[in-house]
Amino acid sequence: MQEVSLTQLARALTLRRVANAATGVSGFMLSAITKKSFVWGVPPVLTVEPTNICNLKCPLCVTGNGSMIRPKGRMDLPTYQRLIDELGDKIIYVILYQQGEPYINHHFLDFVAYAKARQLYVTTSTNAHYFDVDTCRQTVASGIDTMIVSVDGATQKSYAKYRAGGNLEKVLTGIRNLVAAKKSARRKTPYLYLQFLVFRHNEHEIPVMERLARDLGVDRFLKKNVQVETLDEAREWLPRDDRYRRYDLGENNFHVKSGKGVCARPWLSTMVNWDGTISPCCFDKNGLHATGDLRQEQRFTKIWNDAKYQRFRHEILNNRDGIDICKNCNQGLRVFV
């Protein structure tokens, strides 16, 4: 919950939204007990991918390293508006990012404003390369509640080792522009969270980054562990400090640390890709477990309750270890949001 502003989240709560969330949680709990899927209500948390295009080439990202097999594109405004129109009275939390840089979609701030007009909680994550003065002014005016800004190095060399093609000074200038825009508008939002991915090459920079976050005037400093797919990647990228690893790393193997527990995501959240395809989880980065397509089915709720989605939930309940996207995931109910 460290990435959520509870004050802003509370403002999005209505009796209807709370009732829907409670109904969804009840369905999930019954499902977890009986190992049969009961789905009530709609997901209180909605993740929407504005685009899967990015300006950087991060080597552990399926977009950056070129391993994404989904077509590239940007979500159109009518598709997004139709989704919010259908679900807006019941959902609480809209996450506007997935496998690309959100600001590459020129409708991104329209997406934010449309959700905020329904008094929904809205957040995003960005690499902050598009924060000129005017864009920062528009961002503050959009009403977005919180924003994760990724800065993974205290020097250009350290930063660009992972954020390949990025410019640290441009990012820092952009953050200062956004902080200034908030002050000029006398607004506390968006709450800015400077996120630092902890790697082997930058773990010693944590104290420097903590000071930098204070100097920049952001609201919080977040340390995040990284995901790897191979032993070679684990050896190159995982930090030496075990506190910042999601894996146990041996001499000849690595595996996700225990503690997953039961997973609530297929009952309480969903992933809408830029092209309108629906995935049950944000870990389905290539859309291999897509359960429906808004281009073919106009109503999200039809897909949400469809047999294909239910089969995925049944598999989560009874054979989570057999699902490929779950094998590299250590998330469960306790770290759902």
Side-chain angles (χ1 to χ4, degrees):
M1 294 290 288
Q2 63 178 341
E3 299 172 6
V4 178
S5 167
L6 297 180
T7 300
Q8 294 301 110
L9 187 65
R11 292 176 179 174
L13 299 181
T14 65
L15 287 177
R16 191 172 186 183
R17 288 171 179 164
V18 171
N20 174 70
T23 297
V25 170
S26 298
F28 164 68
M29 292 178 66
L30 183 59
S31 301
I33 293 169
T34 65
K35 302 301 180 182
K36 296 180 181 180
S37 180
F38 295 88
V39 180
W40 300 328
V42 298
V45 179
L46 176 66
T47 300
V48 177
E49 179 182 68
T51 182
N52 63 348
I53 302 169
C54 192
N55 53 309
L56 303 182
K57 301 293 183 182
C58 304
L60 299 181
C61 170
V62 297
T63 300
N65 64 26
S67 63
M68 176 172 286
I69 61 175
R70 288 192 286 129
K72 293 183 178 181
R74 301 168 176 83
M75 178 172 281
D76 62 80
L77 188 57
T79 297
Y80 175 79
Q81 290 175 329
R82 178 158 51 87
L83 192 63
I84 297 299
D85 288 345
E86 180 183 355
L87 303 177
D89 290 341
K90 294 183 177 180
I91 61 174
I92 299 170
Y93 190 146
V94 180
I95 300 170
L96 287 175
Y97 66 93
Q98 171 63 346
Q99 288 305 129
E101 166 52 46
Y103 280 84
I104 287 177
N105 187 324
H106 299 308
H107 291 301
F108 171 68
L109 291 177
D110 297 323
F111 288 2
V112 174
Y114 200 76
K116 289 308 300 176
R118 304 292 288 267
Q119 296 184 311
L120 294 165
Y121 182 102
V122 183
T123 189
T124 195
S125 179
T126 174
N127 60 49
H129 278 79
Y130 296 92
F131 283 178
D132 58 72
V133 171
D134 190 53
T135 298
C136 289
R137 180 188 59 78
Q138 293 178 46
T139 296
V140 173
S142 74
I144 189 168
D145 295 285
T146 54
M147 178 178 290
I148 297 168
V149 182
S150 297
V151 185
D152 308 319
T155 67
Q156 174 62 25
K157 181 179 179 181
S158 176
Y159 173 80
K161 181 175 175 62
Y162 184 70
R163 299 287 168 179
N167 185 312
L168 177 60
E169 189 54 43
K170 186 174 185 178
V171 170
L172 298 181
T173 297
I175 294 172
R176 294 185 184 103
N177 287 341
L178 191 52
V179 171
K182 286 171 57 178
K183 290 180 179 179
S184 178
R186 298 182 179 179
R187 297 279 292 271
K188 293 183 178 180
T189 57
Y191 289 101
L192 300 178
Y193 304 150
L194 193 154
Q195 179 174 277
F196 182 74
L197 291 178
V198 184
F199 296 105
R200 182 164 300 221
H201 69 272
N202 70 4
E203 59 187 310
H204 66 284
E205 294 181 326
I206 290 175
V208 178
M209 293 300 300
E210 289 174 335
R211 290 194 296 272
L212 177 61
R214 290 194 296 269
D215 292 344
L216 289 170
V218 301
D219 297 284
R220 197 171 297 165
F221 177 67
L222 307 176
K223 298 182 289 292
K224 185 178 180 181
N225 55 36
V226 298
Q227 179 180 333
V228 295
E229 301 288 344
T230 68
L231 183 58
D232 286 342
E233 289 179 348
R235 288 169 173 166
E236 178 179 0
W237 295 99
L238 293 185
R240 292 178 176 84
D241 192 331
D242 184 66
R243 292 176 299 171
Y244 304 125
R245 296 202 305 251
R246 71 170 70 175
Y247 305 94
D248 290 318
L249 178 61
E251 185 175 344
N252 296 306
N253 60 72
F254 74 103
H255 56 85
V256 176
K257 292 178 179 178
S258 60
K260 292 182 184 179
V262 66
C263 182
R265 287 179 181 270
W267 284 264
L268 301 180
S269 72
T270 196
M271 176 71 236
V272 183
N273 297 312
W274 73 266
D275 59 358
T277 55
I278 309 294
S279 290
C281 175
C282 61
F283 272 74
D284 186 18
K285 298 174 184 179
N286 267 312
L288 299 178
H289 296 272
T291 57
D293 190 335
L294 291 174
R295 296 169 298 185
Q296 299 174 12
E297 172 55 60
Q298 290 295 302
R299 293 190 62 78
F300 169 84
T301 49
K302 178 74 181 303
I303 298 171
W304 179 246
N305 292 287
D306 190 75
K308 193 170 184 179
Y309 221 136
Q310 285 289 64
R311 284 195 296 272
F312 185 88
R313 295 185 181 104
H314 178 81
E315 192 73 6
I316 281 280
L317 290 170
N318 295 280
N319 186 31
R320 184 179 178 185
D321 289 340
I323 302 176
D324 56 348
I325 60 174
C326 296
K327 291 178 180 179
N328 202 8
C329 172
N330 66 343
Q331 299 195 34
L333 183 60
R334 67 183 178 85
V335 286
F336 169 62
V337 178

